[in-house]
Amino acid sequence: MKKVLAANPRTIMVLVSSFPYTITWSQEHVPAILHMAHSSQDEGWALAQVLFGDYNPGGHTSVSWPASLDQLPPMLDYDIRHGRTYMYLKGAPLYPFGHGLSYTTFQFARLRTDKPALAQNGQIAVSVDVTNTGTVAGDAVPQLYVQHLGSKVERPALKLAGFSRIHLAPGETKDRADPADRVAARLLGHRTEGVRR
């Protein structure tokens, strides 16, 4: 990669893989990185559409990408609580679980819940206004994470409770509401104070 970049500083790195790599040097030096999973016979077509701007990508990472191999437990350690997943990862990753970029930008505002408190086994809806602040249409992916506050046993630092994909024209705003089920509600501690704003 270093030799290619030295020959052409306007290089785009295309990484085709089913799993993350530690690409910290590339993140710091390469102007653009595109990751895609194996897409069979349409892989070349899909890649060309994104690179030439005919398709605005909206995908997000399904795993955390470590900034260093030191962040990972030994290969044969399958206990997720030792840092194998985003829920228990120690330190800041290069790309967190749920990370994604596109050719436009989005603003998330007015995070709110439909109730000030929850009953046992209750449900709460979490809403947010999503605005496309860029100049091209694109897909935003709002994500709701929860955490257990004051647990007596080890719990995930964060747990994905819901997400959605919303297509927005430039300047368009949509209100997105996602219900958090009773498991998520218990993790929220039965109070909206458990919602990260």
Side-chain angles (χ1 to χ4, degrees), residues 49-61:
Q49 291 226 302
V50 170
L51 290 177
F52 290 106
D54 296 325
Y55 179 78
N56 190 356
H60 286 63
T61 57

Side-chain angles (χ1 to χ4, degrees), residues 97-120:
F97 175 88
H99 171 77
L101 299 174
S102 79
Y103 291 133
T104 192
T105 54
F106 301 99
Q107 179 181 4
F108 299 86
R110 291 191 344 109
L111 179 67
R112 59 206 177 274
T113 59
D114 67 340
K115 299 179 184 83
L118 289 173
Q120 185 82 21

Side-chain angles (χ1 to χ4, degrees), residues 34-71:
L34 174 66
H35 174 254
M36 64 187 299
H38 302 283
S39 306
S40 82
Q41 65 191 26
D42 278 343
E43 185 172 88
W45 175 252
L47 177 60
Q49 291 226 302
V50 170
L51 290 177
F52 290 106
D54 296 325
Y55 179 78
N56 190 356
H60 286 63
T61 57
S62 58
V63 295
S64 291
W65 287 53
S68 164
L69 290 177
D70 297 335
Q71 289 181 304

Side-chain angles (χ1 to χ4, degrees), residues 5-54:
L5 195 60
N8 183 359
R10 298 183 65 200
T11 295
I12 296 172
M13 178 176 159
V14 177
L15 187 57
V16 181
S17 72
S18 298
F19 48 87
Y21 290 92
T22 52
I23 57 168
T24 306
W25 185 91
S26 297
Q27 172 62 39
E28 292 171 356
H29 296 91
V30 178
I33 300 172
L34 174 66
H35 174 254
M36 64 187 299
H38 302 283
S39 306
S40 82
Q41 65 191 26
D42 278 343
E43 185 172 88
W45 175 252
L47 177 60
Q49 291 226 302
V50 170
L51 290 177
F52 290 106
D54 296 325

